[in-house]
Amino acid sequence: MIRVALRGLAGRKLRAVLTSFAIVLGVAMVSGTFVLTDMISRAFDNIFTEQYAHTDAVISGKSSDISFQGETVAAPSFPADLLQRVRGLPDVEVAAGGIGDDSATKIIDKKGKPIVPSGAPTLGFGIDFSPKAARFNPLRLVSTTPAGRWPAAPNEVIIDSGTAGDEGFHVGDTIRIATLKPIAAFKLVGIAQYGSVSSIGSATFTAFPLAKAQELLNRKGELDAISVAGKNGVSQEQLVKEIKQVVPANEVEVRTQAQQVKEAKKQGAFTKIIRYFLLAFAAIALFVGAFVIFNTLSITIAQRIREFATLRTIGASRRQILTSVTLEALVIGLLAAVIGLFIGIGLAEGLNSLFKALNQDLPTTGLIVAGRTIVLSLVIWVVVTLAAGLAPAVRATKIPPIAAVREGATLPPSRLAPFVPFIALALIALAVAALAYGMFVNDLSTLVRLLSLAVGCLVLFIGVAVVSPRLVPGISRAVRPLAKWVMFGVSALVYPTRLGTWLVRDGILRQGLSGSQRTLKLAGGVVLMLVLGPALLFAAAYLMSFLSVVIGYGFIAAIAVLEAVLVFWLLMMVVNRLRGRGFPSDLPSIRFDPATDRLSGENSRRNPGRTAATAAALMIGLALVTFIAVLSNGMKQSNRRAIERQVKSDYMITSQNGFEAISVEAGDAAARAPVVRLASSVRADVGKVAGSAQQVTGIDPETITRVYRFDWKKGSDSAAENLGPHGAIVDEKFADSKNLSLGSRFKLLTTNGTSTQLEVKGIYKPPPFYPLLGVVSISKSFFDQIYDRPQNLFTFVEVTAAANDATERALKQALKNFPDAKVQTRSAWIHDQDKDFDNFLILLYVLLALAVIVSLFGMVNTLVLSVFERTRELGMLRAVGMTRNQVARMVRQESVITALIGAALGLPLGVFLAWLVTRALSQYDVEFVPQWKTLIAFAIVAIIVGVIAAVLPARRASRLNVLRALQYE
């Protein structure tokens, strides 16, 4: 039976290859995710390990133990005079101070724009470059011409090699750099990398001499860290103990090298989030692939009834049949998993390129393929393949031996068949309950909530797939007229290209043509095929961009690929002519064909289970894409409403990336501009408020109510205008959670350890989706007293004249020394926020496209198997007069009907999930706003998927030899 199984696979190579594609893509996503995240993790490990390689002890500011939104607040600076105390210790060989900032230092490119990576830090270092302290320098000069060196003068700097390469900076150039001070020019004396890590992703770094960095980053007389090396024979623990005796325990922390590396590596823990994020999409591809495998094996077994019955007749037991089918699934799964594992290595580079394109790339090292990656990739997909093939294998064992002599024998129905509708309804009800539990029940851990939602979605998809065979006949009848018009429209759209290929084929392969006839056909065919046809398709893709920009650009990319394929096809036609192979084809036409229209509809309803399983794979991909699109659009609308409800000013001044803080001096410069009536800056930082970590903002009491709209619940604008030094305005939700009312007092602990009492002066209700102010707002002057190095989150600006181009130019001129400051009108700022949503949406679309591609191969597989199954039928149709074009048109329309069934199930399901999540997020004012033009675009995508899936099966069906088809069994 093992030999029979292996020979069966060898005899059905095409089916095995098409089935394996679903596995290959899923394994590639799993292995690619592990390879990429391992490269990122190794890079961070190398950075932190090498940074402290020659250090025995590290002194840093004592952390306030405030963690906000998953991130621990950076430790404060400490007095620089501690360095001299440490250097005076008997067991200290050398000690050096340093400072570091992750957002204030911006390198200016040659166009005068700051280099601001999206989400990555812009690091600024102050380093002691003296020979004694060289052992503590984490940077390494790269080889350049002329050779670089470490900075020695205050106007000298080094920058990272990535930025230097991207921007064309060379040693000896004068570059401009913005910090917490106005922009200044520096001489570039060296280009460096971080230890052995050649790329730090989209992050940048600039290193100044220590004294200059203290000036530029507002750390006069302060340090962020002291690195210490002990004398020979002194252990790290002994050195730390000695240092602790001379430094204030309430201001600094002292760690050994190992402890400091462990602490630093916590900053790289976010790579696990990236891993789980990407693995979630791999799981989706896995789930869709399981449908494809199940459907393929089910169809194959149904087609091999007489083969299995014959095996039973000559003595094969049910266990042997089960072993044979299971072995086929195992071999397909294992071989495809190995191929997918290697493709995943290339996919890791592709994912990294995707992050780079979105300006989100991270540090990476050389290729890392861990043993865990290999084992998990292989085991996961072998298990999935076996699980998906188990049910078809069990059904194969129930084929009776008598079926070997029956023409047209079918599989016996399952004992559960009468109960399928009830099982499906129970699954759907269970899914809705799990989703509701995950979204509406309070006090759940994040893990339990996510698991509940994942299980709910999984069971919902299975429930809909189980019930869909009962829905297929009705949906098929409903969409058949649409499919007919769709095929007519698609035929008209691609007719110039098809006519061009026919002319080229005819001109190359037809015998007896004169030289002028052949030349005319070839010239006209090439023009139609490569110029006019693609031009018409480009016009259609351009129109699609009005429905969805992302899909429109995707279609344009697909047309470019089509152009390349057509050129390759043209070359192959010439080669076939030289080899004496090939034949002319039928002239393509555009017309309705009642016969093929009726037959395609009947074929889709002939086996509802098969059609439903094929459509289910596409349904899952479309449902998830629809869910994300609808939810994202609702969030964008909620974000827009939230900003409109709060902001009254003409202009906003933010950082270039919109979420980092900017220099206080930028707001002051804007206030001095002649066109400005008033400028109200908002400071921001984090603090522990009444025992919980929250954002704290500093506002200008005199101007804030003129540019920001408060929705007062207790108090009025006068509360903000008369805030006083210890007064606070509090978010209503926070006030309720802490039982605060007007006049209540509570404690604020800042990041530098300062503790102060605040009094509630007013309570207001900000929009919960995007509150611009912190949970607690205090006066700006008091904020500056209790926080180190205060910075602006944004500045509201009212102008004296109308908000126009001239006014905006005047504001930009006032801020010319602060290139990280970005001036925008309120509407432009909202538009920028929308772009952030759209960029993230593109990333999700690209990752979900994998599931759609898997479903595409599933449709191709089903159609190919359907052509095999109906070989004699197709031969009969050809024998009674059906043309090749009609056969191809019938297969294509059947594929479009299947795709429309997938869309009819997937689009409403995605909208339902989005509505459910929106209801769960109603406390954040998330709106349910389906964008109907996007849904129409997704339906068109489903149709195109159906057309593409039918290309090869239709070609195969139209080229069947009529006599051999009639003899096929």
Side-chain angles (χ1 to χ4, degrees):
M1 291 304 296
I2 293 175
R3 191 179 303 114
V4 168
L6 296 178
R7 285 180 177 176
L9 275 177
R12 290 179 288 273
K13 297 183 184 68
L14 180 61
R15 304 181 211 188
V17 168
L18 290 173
T19 305
S20 67
F21 269 117
I23 307 168
V24 167
L25 292 174
V27 172
M29 188 65 182
V30 172
S31 62
T33 295
F34 280 116
V35 169
L36 176 61
T37 53
D38 284 346
M39 290 163 61
I40 295 171
S41 296
R42 177 72 61 83
F44 278 104
D45 286 350
N46 288 350
I47 287 173
F48 298 133
T49 302
E50 293 174 10
Q51 181 176 359
Y52 301 107
H54 304 290
T55 304
D56 293 324
V58 177
I59 304 170
S60 59
K62 191 172 183 64
S63 174
S64 56
D65 193 29
I66 298 175
S67 179
F68 182 65
Q69 295 181 346
E71 293 187 7
T72 302
V73 175
S77 304
F78 54 86
D81 58 14
L82 291 183
L83 179 59
Q84 295 307 319
R85 293 192 218 170
V86 173
R87 283 175 172 169
L89 293 173
D91 288 331
V92 171
E93 181 180 340
V94 61
I99 64 171
D101 187 279
D102 61 5
S103 63
T105 307
K106 304 290 191 300
I107 302 170
I108 310 303
D109 64 19
K110 292 184 176 181
K111 296 179 182 178
K113 302 291 185 182
I115 300 170
V116 184
S118 177
T122 54
L123 302 165
F125 299 130
I127 298 176
D128 184 348
F129 291 111
S130 65
K132 281 187 176 181
R135 64 187 298 168
F136 302 127
N137 188 348
L139 307 180
R140 179 187 300 174
L141 287 173
V142 300
S143 178
T144 58
T145 304
R149 60 176 175 80
W150 300 116
N155 66 332
E156 295 178 344
V157 295
I158 59 171
I159 64 172
D160 65 283
S161 57
T163 302
D166 293 342
E167 302 299 328
F169 291 136
H170 303 281
V171 172
D173 288 352
T174 297
I175 62 174
R176 297 191 302 156
I177 298 173
T179 58
L180 294 178
K181 302 297 182 182
I183 191 169
F186 295 85
K187 183 179 180 181
L188 181 61
V189 296
I191 295 172
Q193 67 183 41
Y194 221 116
S196 62
V197 179
S198 58
S199 169
I200 56 171
S202 57
T204 67
F205 72 69
T206 307
F208 307 90
L210 180 58
K212 187 64 177 178
Q214 288 173 315
E215 174 192 339
L216 296 175
L217 299 175
N218 288 350
R219 286 167 171 80
K220 279 287 187 70
E222 293 180 329
L223 295 172
D224 291 332
I226 296 175
S227 299
V228 185
K231 292 180 179 179
N232 290 336
V234 179
S235 69
Q236 293 183 6
E237 291 74 13
Q238 181 182 345
L239 185 62
V240 166
K241 185 177 180 180
E242 187 174 328
I243 293 172
K244 286 183 176 180
Q245 294 175 358
V246 298
V247 297
N250 62 331
E251 291 186 21
V252 298
E253 291 182 286
V254 187
R255 299 185 181 93
T256 64
Q257 178 205 41
Q259 291 170 337
Q260 183 64 29
V261 170
K262 183 179 179 181
E263 183 70 21
K265 284 184 177 181
K266 292 179 181 178
Q267 299 176 39
F270 70 92
T271 56
K272 291 183 179 179
I273 299 174
I274 298 174
R275 176 175 295 166
Y276 296 145
F277 175 74
L278 294 176
L279 284 177
F281 290 92
I284 293 169
L286 181 152
F287 186 53
V288 174
F291 271 90
V292 172
I293 296 165
F294 171 82
N295 200 30
T296 301
L297 291 177
S298 296
I299 296 171
T300 302
I301 288 167
Q303 292 175 353
R304 296 165 61 193
I305 289 177
R306 297 183 70 181
E307 175 189 333
F308 288 129
T310 302
L311 290 172
R312 292 292 310 282
T313 302
I314 61 177
S317 66
R318 288 186 172 184
R319 177 174 293 180
Q320 287 177 309
I321 296 292
L322 179 65
T323 302
S324 174
V325 177
T326 303
L327 182 62
E328 287 187 28
L330 179 62
V331 171
I332 291 174
L334 186 59
L335 293 178
V338 171
I339 296 170
L341 176 64
F342 288 102
I343 292 177
I345 296 172
L347 183 61
E349 291 296 330
L351 289 170
N352 197 34
S353 298
L354 174 62
F355 287 137
K356 285 182 180 179
L358 296 173
N359 205 17
Q360 298 280 354
D361 55 318
L362 294 163
T364 55
T365 58
L367 183 66
I368 299 173
V369 184
R372 176 257 290 133
T373 301
I374 298 172
V375 172
L376 281 179
S377 298
L378 297 181
V379 169
I380 286 173
W381 273 100
V382 168
V383 169
V384 168
T385 306
L386 289 176
L390 182 61
V394 170
R395 291 198 71 189
T397 66
K398 297 182 179 179
I399 298 173
I402 193 64
V405 296
R406 288 179 181 170
E407 183 74 25
T410 59
L411 285 169
S414 167
R415 286 178 295 178
L416 295 176
F419 307 102
V420 166
F422 304 104
I423 294 173
L425 290 175
L427 288 173
I428 293 172
L430 178 64
V432 173
L435 289 169
Y437 178 78
M439 288 186 288
F440 296 109
V441 175
N442 297 323
D443 302 325
L444 291 180
S445 68
T446 302
L447 179 62
V448 172
R449 194 177 298 278
L450 290 175
L451 283 175
S452 177
L453 294 176
V455 170
C457 286
L458 182 73
V459 175
L460 180 63
F461 288 138
I462 294 174
V464 174
V466 169
V467 79
S468 57
R470 304 299 178 105
L471 306 175
V472 161
I475 298 176
S476 175
R477 291 188 182 91
V479 301
R480 199 190 93 186
L482 177 60
K484 178 178 70 174
W485 283 101
V486 163
M487 287 307 303
F488 179 79
V490 170
S491 298
L493 198 60
V494 301
Y495 185 74
T497 304
R498 293 185 64 208
L499 181 60
T501 58
W502 178 81
L503 286 170
V504 169
R505 189 185 187 98
D506 208 58
I508 292 175
L509 301 176
R510 187 172 294 281
Q511 303 295 328
L513 292 177
S514 65
S516 60
Q517 288 177 318
R518 195 177 301 278
T519 301
L520 188 62
K521 283 194 171 186
L522 286 174
V526 169
V527 170
L528 282 170
M529 180 178 73
L530 298 180
V531 181
L532 297 180
L536 182 60
L537 294 175
F538 269 115
Y542 176 74
L543 293 176
M544 272 294 298
S545 65
F546 288 100
L547 292 176
S548 172
V549 175
V550 176
I551 294 175
Y553 283 130
F555 279 5
I556 291 173
I559 295 167
V561 172
L562 175 63
E563 281 275 82
V565 171
L566 289 172
V567 171
F568 178 76
W569 177 85
L570 178 60
L571 295 175
M572 291 302 299
M573 285 295 101
V574 174
V575 171
N576 286 341
R577 170 66 177 178
L578 294 175
R579 296 172 62 189
R581 300 177 60 181
F583 52 87
S585 59
D586 296 338
L587 177 68
S589 62
I590 308 175
R591 62 187 181 87
F592 286 121
D593 189 339
T596 57
D597 176 38
R598 184 174 64 255
L599 285 172
S600 64
E602 291 175 357
N603 288 336
S604 66
R605 297 191 297 273
R606 178 185 300 179
N607 191 328
R610 176 197 305 168
T611 303
T614 307
L618 182 61
M619 170 197 75
I620 295 168
L622 283 176
L624 291 172
V625 170
T626 303
F627 161 69
I628 289 172
V630 174
L631 184 62
S632 175
N633 190 58
M635 287 182 169
K636 282 201 295 187
Q637 295 301 321
S638 302
N639 188 68
R640 178 178 293 270
R641 303 276 191 278
I643 295 173
E644 289 172 347
R645 281 173 54 187
Q646 296 173 90
V647 179
K648 297 194 289 185
S649 63
D650 300 319
Y651 287 94
M652 298 285 295
I653 299 175
T654 65
S655 63
Q656 291 290 341
N657 59 19
F659 56 83
E660 287 183 351
I662 55 176
S663 171
V664 167
E665 295 181 24
D668 297 338
R672 292 192 296 269
V675 296
V676 172
R677 178 185 296 117
L678 69 89
S680 186
S681 294
V682 176
R683 314 273 203 262
D685 211 318
V686 176
K688 188 167 284 188
V689 183
S692 62
Q694 302 291 344
Q695 186 183 44
V696 179
T697 46
I699 58 176
D700 184 354
E702 296 180 2
T703 59
I704 188 64
T705 57
R706 296 165 64 182
V707 293
Y708 180 89
R709 185 179 294 107
F710 288 96
D711 181 8
W712 295 107
K713 297 304 173 183
K714 294 180 181 179
S716 63
D717 283 354
S718 62
E721 294 164 359
N722 299 287
L723 203 53
H726 292 275
I729 297 172
V730 182
D731 178 301
E732 181 188 35
K733 184 177 180 181
F734 179 77
D736 290 343
S737 67
K738 299 295 183 180
N739 295 317
L740 299 176
S741 59
L742 291 181
S744 297
R745 291 182 174 272
F746 60 93
K747 188 173 80 171
L748 167 64
L749 176 66
T750 67
T751 51
N752 63 10
T754 300
S755 179
T756 186
Q757 286 288 324
L758 299 176
E759 180 182 343
V760 178
K761 295 288 189 178
I763 298 174
Y764 78 112
K765 182 181 180 181
F769 189 82
Y770 185 20
L772 298 182
L773 301 183
V775 164
V776 172
S777 294
I778 59 178
S779 71
K780 189 172 62 174
S781 58
F782 187 57
F783 185 98
D784 293 349
Q785 293 176 30
I786 60 176
Y787 278 96
D788 293 336
R789 294 180 294 280
Q791 291 181 270
N792 288 341
L793 185 59
F794 34 69
T795 300
F796 301 104
V797 177
E798 280 283 325
V799 293
T800 55
N804 51 37
D805 291 343
T807 304
E808 191 164 326
R809 283 195 299 271
L811 282 171
K812 289 180 178 178
Q813 178 63 25
L815 294 168
K816 65 180 180 179
N817 288 327
F818 303 93
D820 192 34
K822 187 175 184 179
V823 178
Q824 292 174 293
T825 62
R826 185 181 73 162
S827 59
W829 188 45
I830 292 173
H831 180 69
D832 250 20
Q833 300 278 320
D834 289 347
K835 282 174 61 178
D836 291 339
F837 276 102
D838 291 337
N839 287 338
F840 185 63
L841 200 58
I842 290 172
L843 175 63
L844 297 181
Y845 281 165
V846 171
L847 294 173
L848 281 174
L850 188 67
V852 177
I853 292 171
V854 172
S855 66
L856 171 64
F857 280 109
M859 293 179 68
V860 173
N861 211 358
T862 301
L863 289 170
V864 168
L865 294 173
S866 178
V867 169
F868 274 118
E869 182 179 309
R870 290 150 48 194
T871 298
R872 292 179 67 184
E873 174 190 323
L874 293 171
M876 288 289 294
L877 291 172
R878 290 295 311 283
V880 298
M882 181 174 276
T883 65
R884 286 176 175 168
N885 280 341
Q886 285 179 308
V887 171
R889 187 182 298 120
M890 178 183 69
V891 174
R892 283 195 295 267
Q893 186 161 330
E894 181 182 344
S895 178
V896 170
I897 289 173
T898 303
L900 286 172
I901 292 171
L905 294 171
L907 294 178
L909 192 57
V911 172
F912 167 72
L913 287 173
W915 173 81
L916 205 59
V917 173
T918 302
R919 292 286 297 170
L921 298 175
S922 59
Q923 59 178 318
Y924 300 107
D925 281 356
V926 177
E927 301 179 18
F928 178 66
V929 188
Q931 199 168 18
W932 299 111
K933 65 178 186 178
T934 303
L935 299 183
I936 294 170
F938 290 157
I940 294 174
V941 168
I943 292 167
I944 299 300
V945 166
V947 172
I948 294 173
V951 170
L952 292 177
R955 176 185 173 88
R956 186 180 183 89
S958 66
R959 295 192 170 199
L960 286 174
N961 183 291
V962 176
L963 293 178
R964 290 180 182 174
L966 291 172
Q967 297 171 351
Y968 181 83
E969 291 189 10

